């Protein structure tokens, strides 16, 4: 069970991290249903961590994607984990073994220069090694969905600041969405102030609430 000493928090639910990823980030953004209706699709993520969200997303993308569609998964990570630690962290799930091995094969090439990795003919991964605010400031893309997966807002408030959420909203396509495990009131207010319509949904594994939203206005 991976634990960050820097932020004093676990990387994912102690109940089942893979199912948490599916419940919060995939279903919270109405994926994969949206993939059947769209062509190319971009997902942005705050906090790559163990890579679990990407691995589970890629696994499901391969099951539900259209033949003419391409996924670009862009993740911002200030403190990348070592490859061996990442593989141990996701090693409990047989469902993503192949995906984990493919990620490990690329990980040694990670650098501060963002480089898109071709994971398969319809999937690209870019990990931007930088503080989220600085990395997003330099990023020229925009996302259709966001996975907000920084450590606990109480332990890592900069990852949930109004400044960062405003920047994130500016890089979200109209009608784009976000999902997060946290339902902290000040985080929801920051997202609303940034231009999202925000609502709560049932959380994972007994957690009362999580947060989802849709970009509906310009700020």
């Amino acid at each position: 069970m991976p634990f960050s000493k820097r932020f004093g928090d676990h990387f994912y639910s102690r109940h089942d991290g893979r199912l948490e990823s599916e419940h919060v980030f995939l279903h919270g953004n109405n994926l994969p249903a949206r993939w059947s209706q769209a062509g190319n699709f971009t997902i942005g993520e705050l906090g790559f961590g163990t890579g679990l969200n990407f691995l589970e997303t890629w696994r499901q993308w391969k099951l539900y994607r259209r033949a003419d569609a391409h996924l670009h998964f862009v993740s911002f990570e200030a403190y990348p984990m070592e490859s061996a630690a990442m593989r141990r962290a996701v090693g409990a799930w047989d469902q993503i073994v192949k995906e984990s091995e493919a990620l490990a094969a690329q990980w040694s090439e990670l650098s501060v220069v963002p480089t898109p990795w071709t994971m398969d003919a319809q999937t690209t991964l870019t990990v931007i090694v930088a503080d989220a605010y600085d990395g997003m400031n330099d990023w020229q893309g925009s996302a259709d969905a966001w996975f907000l997966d920084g450590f606990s807002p109480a332990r890592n408030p900069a990852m949930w600041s109004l400044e960062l959420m405003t920047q994130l909203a500016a890089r979200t396509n109209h009608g784009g969405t976000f999902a997060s495990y946290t339902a902290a009131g000040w985080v929801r207010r920051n997202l609303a102030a940034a231009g999202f319509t925000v609502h709560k949904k049932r959380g994972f594994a007994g957690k009362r609430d999580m947060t989802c939203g849709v970009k509906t206005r310009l700020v």
Side-chain angles (χ1 to χ4, degrees):
M1 184 64 207
F3 181 84
S4 171
K5 294 181 179 179
R6 182 185 299 273
F7 294 106
D9 197 8
H10 291 281
F11 278 83
Y12 48 69
S13 168
R14 284 171 283 182
H15 180 79
D16 190 315
R18 188 183 69 85
L19 293 182
E20 178 191 38
S21 179
E22 179 182 49
H23 177 90
V24 174
F25 300 112
L26 290 170
H27 293 174
N29 281 291
N30 195 28
L31 310 176
R34 288 167 66 191
W35 294 337
S36 66
Q37 303 169 3
N40 296 343
F41 201 89
T42 299
I43 294 174
E45 178 187 47
L46 300 188
F48 191 73
T50 65
L52 178 58
N53 293 333
F54 167 70
L55 298 173
E56 179 61 16
T57 300
W58 185 21
R59 183 186 76 83
Q60 295 205 29
W61 168 249
K62 288 186 286 186
L63 295 175
Y64 296 104
R65 65 193 180 189
R66 288 174 19 176
D68 62 343
H70 187 273
L71 172 67
H72 190 188
F73 193 105
V74 181
S75 188
F76 299 86
E77 175 58 60
Y79 307 104
M81 294 177 67
E82 294 182 356
S83 179
M86 293 168 65
R87 295 186 72 178
R88 286 196 302 272
V90 301
W93 296 291
D94 294 338
Q95 299 91 334
I96 54 174
V97 168
K98 292 181 180 179
E99 289 79 8
S100 177
E101 291 175 348
L103 176 61
Q106 296 276 14
W107 200 248
S108 63
E109 302 299 320
L110 185 68
S111 75
V112 295
V113 179
T115 303
W117 294 335
T118 300
M119 306 306 292
D120 65 36
Q122 291 180 255
T123 312
T124 300
L125 169 65
T126 302
V127 179
I128 298 176
V129 181
D131 171 88
Y133 186 89
D134 294 336
M136 201 178 298
N137 191 51
D138 293 335
W139 184 49
Q140 300 302 310
S142 60
D144 300 292
W146 285 94
F147 296 177
L148 306 187
D149 197 24
F151 288 108
S152 165
R155 299 179 183 275
N156 187 21
M159 189 68 99
W160 309 92
S161 68
L162 175 59
E163 292 78 10
L164 181 56
M165 296 303 100
T166 300
Q167 199 176 52
L168 182 146
R171 286 158 179 76
T172 304
N173 296 325
H174 183 72
T177 61
F178 78 85
S180 178
Y181 66 87
T182 186
W186 67 274
V187 172
R188 289 187 283 112
R189 289 190 291 273
N190 285 349
L191 285 158
F196 291 95
T197 296
V198 179
H199 59 277
K200 293 192 290 187
K201 291 181 63 176
R202 179 181 58 84
F204 175 73
K207 192 174 187 296
R208 186 174 67 179
D209 296 314
M210 56 174 274
T211 307
C212 303
V214 181
K215 182 178 177 180
T216 54
R217 61 187 174 86
L218 300 176
V219 176

